[in-house]
Amino acid sequence: MKRQYFTFVIILLISTIQAQNKDFNLVIGTYTNSCESNGIYLYNFNSETGDFSYENSSSAVVNPSYLSVSTDNKFIYSVNENGDKSYVSAFSYKANKATVAPLNKQETKGADPCYLINDEKNIITANYSGGSITVLEKNNDGSIGEIKQLVQHHGKGVNASRQEGPHVHMVQFSPDKKFVLATDLGTDQVFTYAYDANAKETPLKFVDSMKVAAGSGPRHLTFNDDGKYLYLVHELDGALTVYSHNEGQLKKIQTTSILTKGFKGKFTAAAIAIAPNGKFLYVTNRGEANTISTFEILKNGKLKSKGEVSTLGDGPRSFAIDPTGNYLLVAHQYSNNVVVFKRDIITGALTDTGKRIELCAPVCLVFTEQ
């Protein structure tokens, strides 16, 4: 009887392991104005081997440089950076077939949107050149409705060439969805807005703005899972700042850097993300650096540097970690490829697999279930 029970348990364990999904869709957004590209590409990615295969692409889309997938995995939303003619697009997404089909598009009324988020009710864009935030209604069929709100920022910074006016670079929900935070590279501020998804006219209400170091250029931020800590990377000076977070209020607890001591070259910090197990944080740096830095997240939320490695390409604007945490993929805007790194889950270390996805100007990577 015991032997039969043991055999049953072994079979059950094997079945469970086999049933786990090891393949994901990798959705890639690209720039389309520098080389030949349809815009959005879909690949199958195996999280055990790091192997991938091309599945499909969108029809021609203008500069879908940032993508956001709906929580039900049925729709993809993209910004379309095109100066004063910029807009945001909606696509139906059949994950099991790896297909995207256009639904509709709407103007953002803010030039060059570079980031967007979505929930059940709204799509929210960060408009870089426009220095503004746009909230658009989401229709029941997943398409994009009318603009609910346009929030305009004002001011400038000390860097005359990069901070001549407001440049909203990112919008992000707090983990509890009570707030939306926005980084403004042009004015060296992080804005906090109270968020009411169901509001018809003003979903965002100003709560606070926090000044950061003059000329630092706050770019992207990320929260840890429980929302107690926020990590902010600054594009212009390479600083990486840790804040405690409580109900939309931020308090600085640490400032470090992604720059190697003594580095004198040109650089612009780019993307930031935390690994699925919450133990490591990664940040990319462009320009003459072209590196990705690894930091261990300590129990008190502070960071401990674990070094950096070359991203093995030019312009690592974005990266993504697969849902299992086994691989980290870096998208290079200028060398036109995605480099696949193996990630050590225990140490956080990255090792080149030699595998490359070659395509025009990849700048956004998103993993989804199939």
Side-chain angles (χ1 to χ4, degrees):
M1 185 67 179
K2 288 183 179 180
R3 182 177 295 179
Q4 289 177 337
Y5 176 77
F6 180 77
T7 302
F8 172 76
V9 170
I10 293 297
I11 292 173
L12 182 62
L13 286 172
I14 292 172
S15 299
T16 301
I17 292 170
Q18 290 176 339
Q20 289 178 350
N21 185 13
K22 298 177 179 63
D23 286 286
F24 298 91
N25 285 346
L26 174 63
V27 188
I28 304 177
T30 69
Y31 278 113
T32 61
N33 54 3
S34 60
C35 44
E36 186 175 345
S37 172
N38 288 340
I40 300 174
Y41 290 81
L42 289 89
Y43 287 77
N44 179 84
F45 185 84
N46 185 282
S47 63
E48 275 197 331
T49 64
D51 292 332
F52 55 85
S53 59
Y54 169 78
E55 296 293 331
N56 219 322
S57 75
S58 64
S59 53
V61 181
V62 175
N63 291 338
S65 61
Y66 199 83
L67 311 173
S68 180
V69 180
S70 62
T71 54
D72 62 9
N73 211 32
K74 292 182 178 180
F75 304 98
I76 293 174
Y77 301 95
S78 82
V79 300
N80 302 96
E81 286 189 57
N82 194 24
D84 292 334
K85 298 179 182 178
S86 296
Y87 53 94
V88 59
S89 298
F91 302 83
S92 63
Y93 175 44
K94 294 184 178 179
N96 61 338
K97 296 182 179 180
T99 61
V100 291
L103 286 176
N104 75 329
K105 59 185 180 181
Q106 293 283 6
E107 292 183 358
T108 56
K109 303 296 184 181
D112 295 320
C114 60
Y115 206 99
L116 82 166
I117 53 178
N118 81 95
D119 63 7
E120 288 75 14
K121 298 291 184 178
N122 302 300
I123 298 122
I124 306 175
T125 69
N127 308 316
Y128 181 83
S129 298
S132 60
I133 302 168
T134 305
V135 184
L136 302 106
E137 184 175 15
K138 184 187 286 188
N139 296 324
N140 291 334
D141 64 357
S143 63
I144 305 169
E146 298 298 318
I147 292 178
K148 284 186 175 183
Q149 186 179 14
L150 181 64
V151 180
Q152 182 64 53
H153 286 187
H154 301 278
K156 60 182 180 179
V158 298
N159 185 325
S161 63
R162 293 294 310 275
Q163 297 180 310
E164 78 293 345
H167 293 306
V168 182
H169 214 308
M170 182 186 196
V171 285
Q172 188 58 268
F173 292 118
S174 60
D176 59 11
K177 297 290 183 72
K178 292 181 179 180
F179 301 94
V180 168
L181 283 79
T183 57
D184 193 323
L185 181 148
T187 66
D188 287 321
Q189 294 182 85
V190 177
F191 290 80
T192 301
Y193 296 91
Y195 178 59
D196 180 359
N198 295 306
K200 295 297 183 182
E201 295 182 354
T202 55
L204 299 179
K205 292 186 178 180
F206 174 80
V207 173
D208 195 12
S209 64
M210 180 186 67
K211 291 289 291 184
V212 298
S216 63
R219 179 182 170 93
H220 281 188
L221 60 84
T222 188
F223 286 93
N224 73 327
D225 285 344
D226 63 13
K228 289 184 178 180
Y229 301 104
L230 178 148
Y231 303 88
L232 171 66
V233 64
H234 304 257
E235 178 172 333
L236 303 183
D237 70 356
L240 177 59
T241 311
V242 184
Y243 296 88
S244 62
H245 170 255
N246 182 34
E247 292 292 318
Q249 299 298 312
L250 302 175
K251 181 180 180 181
K252 183 167 66 174
I253 61 174
Q254 184 191 16
T255 296
T256 182
S257 177
I258 64 171
L259 299 178
T260 301
K261 188 175 181 179
F263 179 80
K264 300 296 183 182
K266 295 179 180 180
F267 67 91
T268 50
I272 183 171
I274 295 174
N277 64 7
K279 294 182 178 180
F280 295 95
L281 178 143
Y282 300 87
V283 187
T284 54
N285 196 6
R286 297 166 295 177
E288 294 173 347
N290 288 320
T291 56
I292 184 164
S293 300
T294 302
F295 294 86
E296 180 184 359
I297 301 176
L298 306 178
K299 290 183 179 180
N300 62 2
K302 292 183 178 182
L303 300 173
K304 179 181 179 182
S305 176
K306 305 296 285 185
E308 63 183 37
V309 297
S310 170
T311 62
L312 305 173
D314 187 7
R317 184 182 175 97
S318 177
F319 69 92
I321 303 169
D322 86 84
T324 69
N326 287 330
Y327 292 90
L328 186 151
L329 281 63
V330 181
H332 293 100
Q333 180 177 354
Y334 302 119
S335 51
N336 301 315
N337 66 6
V338 176
V339 173
V340 181
F341 288 94
K342 184 72 174 69
R343 197 182 78 88
D344 189 310
I345 295 176
I346 305 300
T347 67
L350 303 176
T351 306
D352 178 29
T353 64
K355 298 173 182 179
R356 308 287 188 267
I357 301 174
E358 306 288 345
L359 77 169
C360 168
V363 288
C364 183
L365 306 174
V366 181
F367 282 101
T368 80
E369 298 288 341
Q370 293 186 342

